[in-house]
Amino acid sequence: MEQSIESYIKNLVRDVIGQSLGELQLQSDRQTYVIANWKMNKNLNETAEFFQKINSSQDVSVVICPPAQLLYPAHLLIKQSGKPIGLGGQNVHWADKGAYTGESSGSMLRDVGCEYVIIGHSERRQYSYEDDELVNKKVLHAIKSELTPIICIGETLGQKNALQTEQVLVKQLEGALKDIDSSHFILAYEPVWAIGTGQSATAELAQQIHAYIRSILKKIIGEKADGISILYGGSANEHNAADFSAMPDIDGVLVGGASLNAQSFDGIINVFAKGEQNS
Ligand code: PGA
């Protein structure tokens, strides 16, 4: 009798601990994203066509970031399609409202159906002179507006050749995440030399850098860094997606050029969806 009570308790403890370990395991599993950055491309007709053709997947989070003018139509098209696709802006201002001609606030993006927003893309850093301080203000505003910021960081070719990659990434990360007390953000490592050039980073190099980024993130936000999705961006396409998806610290891709074609983008979604099932 005593023995059966003992084994009962042992089984109970094993069950309880096993279950709670299982839950912990689930919590530390990172979300996989395949995100389209259309930049300044597509009109209304092309947008409608894209959403007709695109398939989605339950196994990865698919997010489309069209130009601002196409956000609301895209939202309606996604709703109509019934597909599990998220919507994101390509930019946001840092103020709630006011005399800022040409800008949009976080609540405006939410209003037209966005849940995400890209912040700190290298094209905005280059052409609109956005610096780390401004990126930080936008990230804080996005989080306050209940949007998930997709924060882009990455070194230029000159910085890479001068062996400054790590130092640039630390500065951009610390700058973007200053005063942030939330872990509701996504990071995208986008080496500037790989964007739109057809010359992606190798998956091995990207993995090495993603692991480095996570180690820096740990110093900034502690153990929560393990739960943050870090995406690779820069000439990612349906042909190299499998290499990236095989890497433990690459939790998806931010895709420019190859996201404009529904078939190519579908190909990338499928690769990551399969990767999820295999892991
Ligand atoms: P690309 O762009 O895939 O065309 O290189 C990526 C990005 O800028 O996000």
Side-chain angles (χ1 to χ4, degrees), residues 26-234:
L26 266 183
Q27 278 169 8
S28 70
D29 273 351
R30 286 188 291 272
Q31 184 65 43
T32 304
Y33 292 90
V34 175
I35 303 185
N37 174 10
W38 283 358
K39 310 190 180 183
M40 199 170 73
N41 291 293
K42 290 202 189 290
N43 59 27
L44 261 179
N45 277 341
E46 291 163 343
T47 301
E49 215 176 287
F50 180 91
F51 283 108
Q52 249 166 25
K53 287 190 187 160
I54 190 81
N55 291 304
S56 52
S57 165
Q58 300 290 347
D59 300 312
V60 293
S61 291
V62 175
V63 179
I64 311 289
C65 302
Q69 285 74 3
L70 295 172
L71 284 171
Y72 191 58
H75 167 65
L76 297 179
L77 288 161
I78 292 170
K79 251 173 92 174
Q80 215 175 55
S81 75
K83 293 169 189 167
I85 298 175
L87 188 67
Q90 294 178 12
N91 181 36
V92 68
H93 196 259
W94 49 264
D96 292 335
K97 59 166 136 175
Y100 301 102
T101 303
E103 299 285 351
S104 315
S105 70
S107 73
M108 289 171 180
L109 290 183
R110 295 256 342 156
D111 210 23
V112 295
C114 291
E115 294 165 284
Y116 301 86
V117 63
I118 298 173
I119 297 178
H121 191 281
S122 66
E123 284 149 18
R124 293 207 60 86
R125 292 181 192 258
Q126 185 183 349
Y127 303 124
S128 301
Y129 312 106
E130 296 196 358
D131 59 10
D132 292 329
E133 201 183 322
L134 184 59
V135 167
N136 177 244
K137 283 168 88 168
K138 291 184 173 202
V139 170
L140 288 168
H141 175 76
I143 290 172
K144 191 176 95 177
S145 311
E146 296 180 6
L147 288 164
T148 302
I150 303 158
I151 307 168
C152 301
I153 55 173
E155 81 286 4
T156 63
L157 185 61
Q159 290 164 334
K160 178 180 189 270
N161 290 342
L163 305 178
Q164 291 170 344
T165 299
E166 294 190 348
Q167 147 191 359
V168 168
L169 295 176
V170 170
K171 185 175 166 290
Q172 290 179 337
L173 268 177
E174 287 178 348
L177 298 176
K178 191 168 167 275
D179 298 333
I180 276 169
D181 59 0
S182 161
S183 51
H184 289 285
F185 60 87
I186 297 168
L187 285 178
Y189 169 58
E190 297 210 306
V192 181
W193 47 269
I195 295 177
T197 60
Q199 297 204 311
S200 69
T202 62
E204 290 74 20
L205 176 66
Q207 162 58 29
Q208 208 180 316
I209 295 184
H210 281 222
Y212 177 72
I213 290 172
R214 201 176 302 288
S215 74
I216 300 303
L217 200 53
K218 251 183 204 166
K219 288 189 190 151
I220 303 174
I221 64 164
E223 292 307 310
K224 283 184 185 160
D226 282 328
I228 302 290
S229 299
I230 307 179
L231 319 185
Y232 168 78

